Amino acid sequence: MRNAPTILHLDMDAFYAQAEQASKPSLRGKAVVVGGLGPRGVVATASYEARAFGVHSAMPMAQARRLAPNAAYLVPRFTFYRSISDQVMALLRALSPLVEPLSLDEAFVDLEAGGAAWDSESARLAGVRLRADIRAVTGLTGSVGLAASKMLAKIASEEAKPDGLVLIEPGTERALLGPMSVRTLPGVGPATGDHLRRAGITTVDELAEAGEDELVRLVGKAHGHGLYAMALARDDRPVVAEREAKSVSVEDTYDVDIHDRTRVELEVRRLAERCVRRLRGSGLSGRTIVLKVRRYDFSTLTRSETLRGPTDDPAVVREAAARLLDSVDTTGGVRLLGVGVSGLADFTQEDLFAQAAGEERGDGGEEEVPEEPAGEEPVPVEHRWRPGHDVVHAELGHGWVQGSGLGRVTVRFETPESAPGRVRTFRVDDPLLAPAEPLPLVRRRPEEEGAPRSPLPDRSPLPDRTVGSGTTG
């Protein structure tokens, strides 16, 4: 453990939903739910307004609709979210070379390694400046936790939500953790929490009082030792700089089980080509091809084949995935398919096309892969209009899809900088209407491009808090 709270944990607030509200003025202050909208869809993120109705991440979308029937339900725009994430991560890397991303909207930062902080006051100021910079660059808010360990920094950021900052002074960790629920600790999910509750352990203090031997008896050796250490606020894990990706994969879940074998084969081929596009977009190649099949009864099968060397050849990946599919019985129906490549490298062996069955048939040559965004496939015109996605009308300008069906699509015309816009309905094949790229949430004046930003005052509606010193910042 360190002597200063120089580990920072950033967690963007309801990231996907907040990004949608920022880009759509008519949704600001409203309940917004982002996720899969089909019968088997799940909630990816819910805005705080939607959470007030009990909606939360990983909830079945059908249940969310029952709880919040008047919320806006939108399909995720991952390319848009990633572009915002890239801006946020760039701000973090300006603070320190040691940035450990956990997801698009969450990361640890070692402030000491970058010289950005060395004591409580400098750490707090670094957190304040970071939150202000994130708001200035992206228009969004994030919550910051500062502590002497990763575990405590993450707990602090949870306490700071939404749009706040909490700093835990070294030496006060045990007193802070003691009355908290055991579910506060990393790795204690519903099952472990219920098991501990049945043993009479509900708080972190009770966890520590139980002792290491008792926890090992209750939850097993590895988990028991870890739980006891966390209960005593012991966490010496370092912040590890971003690791290289270990695999690249794509998968689709289908609203209706696929029974037709030919359709399954076509879906696997399509997924293989998507996977290769993503692989090439990252400048990578890989040796192991992986096929994932979830069947009608929820049983999940994984098959893999390792090649002689790394490849990014679409024919090789496609043929390997097809061979793997040959060993899987899909007669009962398929609800999910996925294709992935692991064993990644930043080079390709040129002679690997020999591993594709296509060469044995004398096809020869590398197949050209269309330049399309990863995950985007040509779809019938009536399915092009996904709720929440951007469109442009030749006469009315930029807008987003509110909904579609029965040959019609409803669009609200507004931009991040406009007032809430008007709504119009069109035929799905209207020649004046087309899909569009998302607009930036914050426009910078030309003279600001490339110029350093001055630190901005913290504009959070919530006060920053320092835990353990008796002060509030």
Side-chain angles (χ1 to χ4, degrees):
M1 294 282 290
R2 303 183 178 196
N3 296 319
T6 53
I7 292 181
L8 179 149
H9 181 260
L10 170 73
D11 197 354
M12 300 295 288
D13 301 320
F15 182 46
Y16 300 167
Q18 186 187 179
E20 296 297 347
Q21 289 175 316
S23 69
K24 301 172 173 65
S26 58
L27 297 185
R28 293 170 190 169
K30 307 286 182 63
V32 174
V33 181
V34 180
L37 303 189
R40 290 172 176 164
V42 297
V43 175
T45 306
S47 69
Y48 285 96
E49 295 86 355
R51 295 180 192 189
F53 293 95
V55 181
H56 58 77
S57 299
M59 172 182 284
M61 191 61 77
Q63 182 181 355
R65 288 185 184 275
R66 289 194 295 271
L67 293 172
N70 296 320
Y73 289 87
L74 308 177
V75 175
R77 298 186 291 164
F78 289 113
T79 301
F80 176 52
Y81 307 146
R82 186 172 294 280
S83 68
I84 301 171
S85 174
D86 289 345
Q87 293 176 303
V88 173
M89 295 300 166
L91 292 173
L92 299 183
R93 293 188 183 97
L95 288 174
S96 171
L98 291 184
V99 175
E100 184 178 340
L102 304 179
S103 63
L104 288 179
D105 63 332
E106 184 180 3
F108 288 109
V109 183
D110 187 334
L111 297 176
E112 188 175 325
W118 50 91
D119 60 12
S120 296
E121 184 59 21
S122 59
R124 189 188 71 81
L125 290 175
V128 169
R129 286 195 297 268
L130 173 64
R131 292 177 57 235
D133 278 352
I134 289 173
R135 188 188 291 268
V137 171
T138 69
L140 306 184
T141 64
S143 296
V144 166
L146 293 155
S149 71
K150 291 169 71 172
M151 180 184 77
L152 270 298
K154 184 170 174 62
I155 290 173
S157 71
E158 285 296 318
E159 292 292 305
K161 283 185 168 293
D163 191 17
L165 181 152
V166 168
L167 183 149
I168 299 175
E169 288 284 2
T172 67
E173 295 93 348
R174 289 286 303 278
L176 172 72
L177 281 176
M180 290 185 172
S181 165
V182 293
R183 291 289 306 278
T184 304
L185 300 178
V188 181
T192 302
D194 287 344
H195 188 59
L196 292 171
R197 179 181 52 79
R198 288 194 293 271
I201 299 172
T202 59
T203 68
V204 177
D205 264 344
E206 291 168 346
L207 203 62
E209 291 169 3
E212 190 168 16
D213 291 342
E214 176 65 8
L215 293 178
V216 168
R217 187 188 69 81
L218 286 171
V219 298
K221 186 175 182 179
H223 204 20
H225 290 314
L227 270 180
Y228 186 67
M230 287 190 290
L232 299 181
R234 295 174 184 165
D235 179 18
D236 294 320
R237 294 173 300 156
V239 176
V240 180
E242 186 173 5
R243 299 178 177 91
E244 293 183 359
K246 295 181 179 179
S247 65
V248 172
S249 63
V250 296
E251 62 181 43
D252 277 344
T253 300
Y254 305 99
D255 292 342
V256 178
D257 290 347
I258 302 175
H259 293 83
D260 181 70
R261 181 71 178 193
T262 301
R263 168 81 188 284
V264 173
E265 292 170 351
L266 289 173
E267 288 294 315
V268 168
R269 176 188 177 98
R270 181 178 64 84
L271 288 166
E273 291 171 351
R274 274 176 56 189
C275 185
V276 169
R277 285 198 293 275
R278 187 169 295 181
L279 195 69
R280 287 181 166 183
S282 300
L284 297 170
S285 60
R287 295 183 64 232
T288 301
I289 314 304
V290 181
L291 175 71
K292 178 179 177 182
V293 180
R294 181 165 297 151
R295 299 190 290 190
Y296 68 99
D297 59 356
F298 287 88
S299 61
T300 302
L301 303 177
T302 303
R303 300 287 185 268
S304 64
E305 176 181 319
T306 299
L307 309 175
R308 293 196 301 272
T311 184
D312 65 352
D313 190 312
V316 173
V317 177
R318 190 173 58 243
E319 294 290 343
R323 288 193 297 273
L324 294 170
L325 181 62
D326 288 340
S327 65
V328 178
D329 179 11
T330 62
T331 52
V334 171
R335 60 183 289 117
L336 177 147
L337 290 168
V339 174
V341 177
S342 60
L344 301 183
D346 56 4
F347 65 94
T348 304
Q349 288 187 205
E350 297 299 330
D351 64 347
L352 277 181
F353 191 74
Q355 298 179 75
E359 185 181 78
E360 296 175 4
R361 296 193 299 268
D363 293 347
E366 183 175 293
E367 179 175 332
E368 185 67 26
V369 178
E371 290 294 329
E372 296 179 26
E376 294 295 329
E377 296 296 320
V379 293
V381 65
E382 62 270 19
H383 295 154
R384 291 171 65 191
W385 314 113
R386 292 178 288 182
H389 281 228
D390 296 82
V391 296
V392 63
H393 190 276
E395 296 175 352
L396 300 175
H398 193 93
W400 58 277
V401 176
Q402 282 198 324
S404 63
L406 301 177
R408 297 286 187 271
V409 54
T410 300
V411 177
R412 183 180 287 273
F413 290 96
E414 59 187 7
T415 71
E417 297 177 331
S418 74
R422 57 180 174 171
V423 176
R424 293 282 300 274
T425 298
F426 308 89
R427 292 178 56 88
V428 295
D429 58 355
D430 190 314
L432 299 182
L433 192 67
E437 292 297 315
L439 297 176
L441 298 181
V442 176
R443 292 186 182 274
R444 301 186 69 187
R445 295 187 298 273
E447 62 270 21
E448 292 180 314
E449 295 299 331
R453 292 179 308 280
S454 299
L456 298 176
D458 178 37
R459 292 181 282 173
S460 168
L462 299 177
D464 299 337
R465 290 191 289 139
T466 299
V467 179
S469 66
T471 63
T472 299

